[in-house]
Every structure is written in structure tokens, then in C-alpha cells.
Amino acid sequence: MANELVEKKENKVAVIEGHELGEIIKPLIKEIHLFDSYIAGTTHLEDKSVLDEIKAGDMLTLQREENKFDLNAILVLYEDGRKIGYVPEKDNIIFARLMDAGKLLKAKIIQITQKGTFKQISVGIYLVDF
């Protein structure tokens, strides 16, 4: 139906991004550092080419995922939407609750360390607010 109400689970910051008002409000947006962690699950990626493209300083998108193994699962996505991994299960409960309440969280790559064939990706997790 054309007049049907649709619930949107977007936060205020996400709504203004890409809108002309976004440029006016952008200076008021602040990123509040919450926690440092790492990206889990990188060894299980179908497309591992993304691991060769990421670098320290890159901002990453965090997105909730329905997951039968972890009710608080949070995907970590590269700027083009490709999956990099997850916020570790041991760290994700508070972040999941914030995201479920409509808060926008992002991650920033702090460091990438090669450990044999494995890349350990350290990230800072930020609350984006204004």
C-alpha cells in the first residue's frame, strides 16, 4: 500500500548524512571513543581480498546482524559494504544494546599486525552523536 506506515530503525546522524542539512550539522557531530578491541572472524571470510585493502585510520561501519549463534552479533563492514568480521562476542553486549536503542556506532582501524598467515586488526569503537 502506498500510505502504509513503515518503521525505520535509523538514528538522527544516519538520517542527515547525504542531506544538505548534514553539512550544516556536521561540525556538531562528535565521535566519543568507547572501547578498543579487535575484529573477530577474519579467517572465515568468503572474500579475503578486503583484508589487503584496509589500512590503519580507515573508518568502518558497524551493523547489527541476526545470528543464531550470537544474539548480540555486530558485523564490521568496509566502506564499500564488504564484510571484514565481527565485534568479538566477549565485547559486544553493551554495543548491541546501544545500537538497538538507535545509537550509531563506528569503528576505526588502529593497527594491523601480521601474525603468520593471520592479520590481527585492532579497532577503536566510537559512539557518533551530536
Side-chain angles (χ1 to χ4, degrees):
M1 292 181 88
N3 295 327
E4 190 173 289
L5 289 177
V6 177
E7 179 184 352
K8 288 193 175 191
K9 292 194 173 193
E10 293 181 297
N11 57 61
K12 293 177 230 165
V13 175
V15 170
I16 63 167
E17 285 181 351
H19 189 276
E20 62 187 51
L21 276 179
E23 292 304 311
I24 296 169
I25 296 174
K26 200 173 201 173
L28 303 175
I29 296 173
K30 56 188 171 209
E31 294 173 348
I32 302 164
H33 180 255
L34 300 175
F35 192 73
D36 289 331
S37 189
Y38 61 92
I39 299 176
T42 57
T43 57
H44 303 291
L45 294 175
E46 289 180 23
D47 178 10
K48 293 185 187 213
S49 68
V50 69
L51 298 177
D52 296 326
E53 297 175 36
I54 59 174
K55 62 190 178 311
D58 284 351
M59 291 302 290
L60 307 172
T61 301
L62 299 180
Q63 177 181 309
R64 289 284 274 127
E65 177 187 68
E66 283 194 34
N67 184 314
K68 65 181 177 181
F69 301 108
D70 180 4
L71 297 176
N72 299 307
I74 301 172
L75 275 170
V76 180
L77 304 170
Y78 192 48
E79 61 192 19
D80 60 7
R82 285 184 291 166
K83 178 179 173 180
I84 298 174
Y86 292 89
V87 172
E89 185 175 5
K90 69 179 185 64
D91 297 335
N92 69 10
I93 189 166
I94 292 173
F95 304 128
R97 288 179 182 169
L98 286 168
M99 293 175 80
D100 291 346
K103 299 297 183 185
L104 175 63
L105 299 181
K106 291 195 173 192
K108 182 178 183 179
I109 297 176
I110 299 170
Q111 181 179 5
I112 301 171
T113 308
Q114 190 72 41
K115 296 192 175 203
T117 60
F118 172 74
K119 284 188 180 184
Q120 180 177 332
I121 306 164
S122 301
V123 294
I125 297 177
Y126 295 83
L127 169 68
V128 181
D129 206 5
F130 65 97

